[in-house]
Amino acid sequence: MPTRGGPRRHARRAGEVLPALALSLALLAGTTSCSVIPTGGRSVMSVDDESKGSPLGDPYARVVAMPPKAGWSPEEVVTGFRAAMASLDDSDFRIARQYLAADFAAKWNPRSGVTVYRQGAYDKFAPIGAEDRQAQVTLKGTKIAVIDPDGRYRPSGGPLNQPFTLARQADGEWRISTAPDGLLLSEADVARGYPPVDLYFLDARREALVVDQVRVPIDPGANFAKTTVERLLRGPSSSLADAVRTAFTGIGLIDVTTENNRVVVDLDGRVAADLVDPMSAQLAATLSALTKGGWGFEVKVNGESYHPDAPLRVDAQKQSSFDPWLAPGAVDPYYLAGDGLRLLGKENTGQPVPGRAGQKRLGLDPPAISGQSARQVAQRSADRRSLSVAPLAAGGEWRVWATGESLAPPSWDRYGTLWAVDRPNDHTSVLTRYDGDGKRHYRVTAPDLETAYVKSLKVARDGVHVAVIVRDGLGEQVRVGTVVGERERTRITNLQTVVDSENGRKIKDITWNDGKTLYALTDRSELLEASVAAEPASLGTGSRIESIAALDGRLLAGSSDEQGGRQIFYWTSSKWEALVKHENGTADFVENGPSFPAFPLG
């Protein structure tokens, strides 16, 4: 409905840049500025440039916004304000505040977070009269995500109807008197100025690397490697703050440069001797994506060698030797057959595992394989009232570790702990960790899960991230949270939905690929890739897929046909291909066919 106080002309499309704004674009490579390119049009241009062999960051686009001009309409003022919020050069938002009325400019807080939106259009209003003192411009579109002040990116859909109230100043110019705190940025703004970065921290035992997916705003005055290390030294985002540690406590950064084909990280202090190895792994893991492989690292203190007698040089793949599960390499999968658990080895042939687990299976139910060198398998009984564990070693016998009313499939973590979930009814779940030989167990505190039905729980290989399939009044969703504490102090916090119950879909299975992404299988045999930092992406569908297992980019599935015949498939990035069809040439797939592939800690 037309309302009094709107802009004096019809709205332009929100994706258009008003000619009066005189936006410009520049390319930066590290701290070197290239030529300024006036856009003069409606969209930002992208220009390719060579990185000159430097691993410290590729060129990026820079939007430079101009202050407001005399005679601008309320719509033009709001559009100029939006452009100024996206400017990377104005780190204090000095230009952006020029679009605001004085009293509002003094209290506007641009650092309270970012709302990411997909542009629609401004609402249309009736003409503004010469005597009108107020106007309102409403930006319409779709809300995509929010970026917390610590860089945590959280997808968040829904319509955007953002009003801006403007007041006519004493000089007759319009200025914004009411607007939300924080920044309002389009998807293109965020893609240009807030690239995703994987920061790596340490688990509580300082033996694993845990990824923290954040968005880091580009600083035009520094190379992006320096900006990234500065963000690493600030510590983890709120979702991991209680669960991880860092080697950099009390340490600051002087600079990140290159020297003798190495990336040199110059700190203002030294960490404790026992933290040098973890510190090196954190740096290598965090910077490896930016250096694009091959570049080693050196750590200095105040421009001098880290050690008086020798430099501290870090291999480009230090993270892999520190935490083998970060890049596990060739790890063979397991699967069930009619005569027990098998290990899939060379030429895709399966061999029975040693011990009782390779001789007789408990039932047609997904197995869980531990990650230690002395591996164990856990599996539910056919009635789902008990969980049994057997060592994968000669003479290994099944032994009951857990009992309950209706147990979910088990999951191991990297510490040799078995996770069990009992569902005494459809709206209650009890989570328990079993240590050592299963005789010691501890209740897990998880308020958001204890009043829902947990269909499945999978701990990631970093021991900190956890994924669950939850059924509640909203349907079935996949949520990802954080494991904090050990033994009786264990709790699960910061649960975030990564796959919702869209169109009533149900989730059949989930599996972690690595510490930041997981796969979900729906009841329509649709394969989804999900994480806390992006909307789930559909990878495709398969015929009668019933279970999935993944490890570091390798994805397997178990399926059954209409006659009950079972096969194991592998994913080729676009479709499923048969991997194991039958055992010993028999066509008796119903009883003896392969099923339920499983990787260690899957």
Side-chain angles (χ1 to χ4, degrees):
M1 177 181 298
T3 59
R4 188 173 179 81
R8 61 174 173 261
R9 59 173 151 237
H10 292 307
R12 293 178 174 89
R13 292 177 55 85
E16 297 180 353
V17 178
L18 296 171
L21 295 183
L23 299 183
S24 62
L25 178 70
L27 288 178
L28 296 183
T31 58
T32 302
S33 178
C34 300
S35 58
V36 176
I37 306 171
T39 63
R42 298 180 176 181
S43 62
V44 173
M45 302 189 318
S46 87
V47 182
D48 294 330
D49 189 43
E50 295 180 359
S51 61
K52 310 301 183 184
S54 172
L56 298 187
D58 290 331
Y60 55 87
R62 186 178 87 199
V63 174
V64 182
M66 302 298 291
K69 300 298 182 183
W72 275 7
S73 70
E75 179 186 342
E76 289 171 321
V77 170
V78 171
T79 302
F81 179 56
R82 288 168 47 208
M85 285 192 287
S87 174
L88 301 172
D89 293 79
D90 189 16
S91 59
D92 294 329
F93 299 98
R94 180 182 56 84
I95 295 176
R97 291 183 193 276
Q98 294 181 35
Y99 288 85
L100 309 179
D103 56 344
F104 180 57
K107 62 183 179 181
W108 177 61
N109 179 15
R111 304 188 189 282
S112 63
V114 176
T115 298
V116 187
Y117 68 97
R118 184 172 298 130
Q119 297 177 182
Y122 291 132
D123 269 347
K124 298 179 180 179
F125 296 95
I128 298 174
E131 302 301 319
D132 289 335
R133 309 306 300 173
Q134 284 196 336
Q136 187 177 81
V137 175
T138 299
L139 176 65
K140 303 179 73 66
T142 302
K143 187 176 179 181
I144 302 300
V146 295
I147 303 176
D148 294 338
D150 58 10
R152 182 184 176 197
Y153 184 99
R154 295 184 290 119
S156 178
L160 176 75
N161 291 283
Q162 184 56 63
F164 295 84
T165 302
L166 296 95
R168 196 189 296 269
Q169 306 301 292
D171 60 1
E173 300 298 335
W174 291 101
R175 292 295 180 263
I176 298 170
S177 58
T178 303
D181 272 339
L183 301 179
L184 185 65
L185 301 179
S186 69
E187 289 178 294
D189 295 333
V190 171
R192 272 194 304 272
Y194 289 73
V197 172
D198 291 340
L199 306 176
Y200 284 85
F201 296 94
L202 306 168
D203 71 336
R205 300 185 185 186
R206 295 188 173 92
E207 63 185 44
L209 289 169
V210 183
V211 65
D212 193 5
Q213 296 176 274
V214 299
R215 295 294 182 115
V216 178
I218 287 173
D219 178 1
N223 63 69
F224 195 60
K226 180 180 180 181
T227 303
T228 299
V229 176
E230 286 176 333
R231 178 61 188 85
L232 175 68
L233 269 57
R234 279 171 44 199
S237 67
S238 57
S239 62
L240 290 175
D242 295 331
V244 299
R245 305 291 182 266
T246 181
F248 293 100
T249 303
I251 302 296
L253 178 67
I254 297 174
D255 205 356
V256 177
T257 57
T258 58
E259 181 180 307
N260 298 325
N261 293 323
R262 290 183 179 276
V263 174
V264 179
V265 179
D266 192 6
L267 305 175
D268 66 6
R270 294 177 175 83
V271 304
D274 63 335
L275 293 179
V276 171
D277 205 44
M279 173 193 71
S280 301
Q282 280 187 258
L283 279 175
T286 300
L287 289 174
S288 60
L290 299 181
T291 57
K292 299 178 181 176
W295 284 72
F297 308 98
E298 182 175 346
V299 182
K300 292 185 177 183
V301 175
N302 296 315
E304 304 293 334
S305 291
Y306 193 88
H307 300 297
D309 54 341
L312 175 56
R313 291 177 177 167
V314 181
D315 183 78
Q317 298 301 317
K318 172 65 179 178
Q319 66 273 23
S320 299
S321 59
F322 178 83
D323 183 357
W325 283 111
L326 202 63
V331 176
D332 292 330
Y334 297 79
Y335 66 94
L336 289 181
D339 53 356
L341 184 69
R342 294 194 167 213
L343 178 65
L344 186 63
K346 295 180 179 179
E347 299 179 357
N348 297 332
T349 58
Q351 298 296 326
V353 301
R356 187 66 68 181
Q359 300 173 17
K360 182 182 179 181
R361 71 182 184 199
L362 294 183
L364 194 61
D365 204 62
I369 312 297
S370 69
Q372 281 69 24
S373 55
R375 297 229 163 104
Q376 302 182 87
V377 58
Q379 197 176 358
R380 288 186 299 186
S381 60
D383 61 6
R384 299 187 176 182
R385 290 181 174 270
S386 65
L387 289 178
S388 294
V389 175
L392 303 186
E397 297 286 342
W398 287 107
R399 189 167 64 82
V400 174
W401 277 31
T403 59
E405 293 296 319
S406 174
L407 293 164
S411 177
W412 294 95
D413 63 27
R414 67 182 296 138
Y415 313 112
T417 299
L418 184 68
W419 290 68
V421 181
D422 187 26
R423 295 80 51 98
N425 53 57
D426 288 343
H427 49 80
T428 304
S429 295
V430 179
L431 284 66
T432 307
R433 294 180 75 169
Y434 289 81
D435 276 351
D437 58 2
K439 295 180 180 179
R440 300 186 305 275
H441 61 274
Y442 313 96
R443 177 77 176 265
V444 176
T445 301
D448 292 336
L449 300 177
E450 291 165 0
T451 56
Y453 185 91
V454 177
K455 189 174 179 180
S456 180
L457 178 149
K458 297 289 181 69
V459 182
R461 293 179 178 90
D462 58 23
V464 171
H465 289 101
V466 61
V468 291
I469 304 174
V470 176
R471 181 193 305 155
D472 56 19
L474 301 176
E476 290 189 1
Q477 312 102 39
V478 180
R479 300 177 188 170
V480 172
T482 305
V483 178
V484 178
E486 295 186 273
R487 299 183 175 88
E488 66 275 2
R489 296 185 301 276
T490 303
R491 67 185 191 275
I492 293 178
T493 64
N494 297 311
L495 283 162
Q496 176 180 335
T497 298
V498 297
V499 179
D500 60 25
S501 53
E502 178 182 336
N503 299 322
R505 66 183 169 196
K506 296 182 179 180
I507 312 299
K508 296 176 67 174
D509 199 8
I510 53 175
T511 183
W512 284 99
N513 178 51
D514 50 32
K516 64 180 182 179
T517 58
L518 66 149
Y519 298 108
L521 178 68
T522 74
D523 57 345
R524 303 155 196 169
S525 292
E526 182 183 19
L527 182 65
L528 302 174
E529 183 179 67
S531 79
V532 297
E535 290 289 337
S538 178
L539 301 182
T541 59
S543 177
R544 300 184 65 85
I545 299 296
E546 58 185 14
S547 69
I548 51 177
L551 175 62
D552 196 28
R554 301 164 63 195
L555 178 59
L556 305 180
S559 75
S560 60
D561 59 28
E562 294 180 355
Q563 289 73 43
R566 297 186 175 89
Q567 300 186 60
I568 291 176
F569 292 84
Y570 69 96
W571 183 251
T572 64
S573 78
S574 61
K575 61 180 179 178
W576 294 104
E577 295 283 355
L579 182 66
V580 182
K581 292 185 177 182
H582 57 79
E583 298 296 322
N584 301 323
T586 178
D588 186 11
F589 294 154
V590 176
E591 178 62 26
N592 295 317
S595 60
F596 294 109
F599 285 103
L601 301 183

